[in-house]
Amino acid sequence: MSGLKKYFIWIALLPLAILLQGCIPSYKFNGSALNYDIYKTIDITEFPIRAALVYPPLQQTFENKLLDTVTRQTRLQEIDGNADLEMTGEITGYSLSPQSVGQDAYATETRLTITVRVKYTDSKNPSNDIDQSFSAYRQFSSTLMLTDVQDDLCNEICDELVNLIFNATLGNW
C-alpha cells in the first residue's frame, strides 16, 4: 500500500476512533444510584434488639457498620430528624440452630442467624419506600463455644446484612 493511501485511511479512521472512545460503557458496582440534586440528607435511627436471644454488642456493631457504609458510599449527610431519606428498624432475630448431624446423633455444625427489619422511607419518592426483613447466617463447628466465635461471626453477618440493605435501598439495584 502506498504511503498516500495509508495517510488517507488514518485520516478517515481518526474521527471514528475519537467517537468510539467516548462510547466505552462504565459500570459502578459499589456506591449508590442517588440523584444528589434531589437527595442530600439521611436519618439513620437506632436499631434496637427485639430478638428473644440478645447479644448486647450486636446493636452497636450493626449500627456502626450501616452508618459507615452509607457515609463511605454516598454523599448524603446524616442528620437527626427531617431528612430526605430515613432508615429505621430493629434487630428481630438472633438465633442458633443445629445443622449437620454426626454419627453420634449430635450436631456437628451450628448456624447463627441474624435478622434485621428495615423501614426505608423516601420523602421525595414514596414508591421507593421499603419495609422488609433481611437475614444472613454463618455456620461454625459445634466443637467451638459460641462465646469464642461470636464477635467474628457477628461482624461477618453484619457486613453481609449491611450490603443487602444498602443494595435494596440506596443502591437501588
Side-chain angles (χ1 to χ4, degrees), residues 77 85 103:
Q77 179 184 0
L85 302 167
Q103 292 175 349

Side-chain angles (χ1 to χ4, degrees), residues 132 134-136 159-169 173:
Q132 182 179 341
F134 299 87
S135 289
D159 284 339
E160 183 176 341
L161 286 168
V162 165
N163 284 331
L164 291 169
I165 294 164
F166 184 88
N167 288 338
T169 57
W173 296 103

Side-chain angles (χ1 to χ4, degrees), residues 20-31:
L20 289 176
Q21 188 175 16
C23 296
I24 296 171
S26 173
Y27 299 101
K28 183 177 179 186
F29 290 108
N30 64 357

Side-chain angles (χ1 to χ4, degrees), residues 12-22:
L13 291 177
L14 185 62
L16 182 61
I18 291 171
L19 271 173
L20 289 176
Q21 188 175 16

Side-chain angles (χ1 to χ4, degrees), residues 2-51:
S2 73
L4 192 55
K5 273 187 175 178
K6 284 183 184 179
Y7 175 75
F8 283 119
I9 290 173
W10 280 108
I11 294 296
L13 291 177
L14 185 62
L16 182 61
I18 291 171
L19 271 173
L20 289 176
Q21 188 175 16
C23 296
I24 296 171
S26 173
Y27 299 101
K28 183 177 179 186
F29 290 108
N30 64 357
S32 68
L34 294 172
N35 180 345
Y36 292 109
D37 293 332
I38 298 171
Y39 301 103
K40 300 192 183 321
T41 58
I42 188 168
D43 181 14
I44 300 174
T45 64
E46 289 185 358
F47 280 72
I49 299 174
R50 304 272 189 250

Side-chain angles (χ1 to χ4, degrees), residues 18-92:
I18 291 171
L19 271 173
L20 289 176
Q21 188 175 16
C23 296
I24 296 171
S26 173
Y27 299 101
K28 183 177 179 186
F29 290 108
N30 64 357
S32 68
L34 294 172
N35 180 345
Y36 292 109
D37 293 332
I38 298 171
Y39 301 103
K40 300 192 183 321
T41 58
I42 188 168
D43 181 14
I44 300 174
T45 64
E46 289 185 358
F47 280 72
I49 299 174
R50 304 272 189 250
L53 185 60
V54 175
Y55 178 56
L58 177 61
Q59 179 179 350
Q60 193 67 48
T61 299
F62 176 77
E63 290 171 358
N64 288 344
K65 287 182 179 289
L66 181 60
L67 187 58
D68 184 52
T69 297
V70 170
T71 303
R72 276 188 295 109
Q73 295 190 21
T74 73
R75 291 184 282 165
L76 296 171
Q77 179 184 0
E78 207 283 326
I79 63 169
D80 290 332
N82 195 14
D84 300 326
L85 302 167
E86 181 182 29
M87 208 178 291
T88 62
E90 57 195 0
I91 299 168
T92 57

